[in-house]
Amino acid sequence: MKKSLLAAVALGMLASGSVLAAERSGEDVYKATCTMCHATGLAGSPKLGDKAAWAPRIAKGKDALYTSALKGIRAMPPRGTCANCTDGELKKTVDYMISKAK
Ligand code: HEC
């Protein structure tokens, strides 16, 4: 009984499109948006997984990196150009990028 109710709710969300509002993972956001610069180091961006490039940035603390991701820093555009990303999604994406540089 409970299970079928859940399924009905899930179907309803799919049908209404509200499932699109579900939070994306940091990896999803990274691959959809940030990769266009951070995969190659375009415009001087720290490359994903490049420990030497990330170490001095990580040393500034997570909050500083969150702020850079939300507001932009030099050639890094605000929200990394992901206009429809929530603050939470952007923070998870920063966490994902940090995790790859450790
Ligand atoms: C248009 C290219 C571009 C895109 C797209 C982009 N970045 Fe960046 N990013 C940069 C550049 C360039 C820098 C280096 C800025 C500097 O320190 O001069 C940077 C730096 C950063 C930093 C380090 C900031 C700091 O304070 O040291 C973080 C974190 C970051 N980007 C996160 C993201 C996230 C998350 C996304 C995707 C949502 C993203 N970026 C998309 C170009 C980009």
Side-chain angles (χ1 to χ4, degrees), residues 46-66 68 94-102:
K47 263 204 216 176
L48 189 75
D50 183 339
K51 292 191 180 131
W54 278 99
R57 297 180 187 274
I58 291 170
K60 296 191 289 184
K62 263 191 188 179
D63 284 340
L65 298 185
Y66 290 158
S68 299
V94 172
D95 290 343
Y96 169 75
M97 291 166 93
I98 291 172
S99 77
K100 292 291 172 185
K102 278 185 177 161

Side-chain angles (χ1 to χ4, degrees), residues 1-51:
M1 190 62 190
K2 240 188 180 168
K3 260 190 189 157
S4 60
L5 185 68
L6 272 178
V9 169
L11 275 175
M13 282 173 71
L14 269 177
S16 68
S18 65
V19 99
L20 287 175
E23 270 214 357
R24 288 161 288 192
S25 73
E27 189 172 357
D28 288 344
V29 172
Y30 172 78
K31 286 187 174 150
T33 314
C34 322
T35 184
M36 71 174 154
C37 292
H38 286 276
T40 57
L42 193 77
S45 57
K47 263 204 216 176
L48 189 75
D50 183 339
K51 292 191 180 131

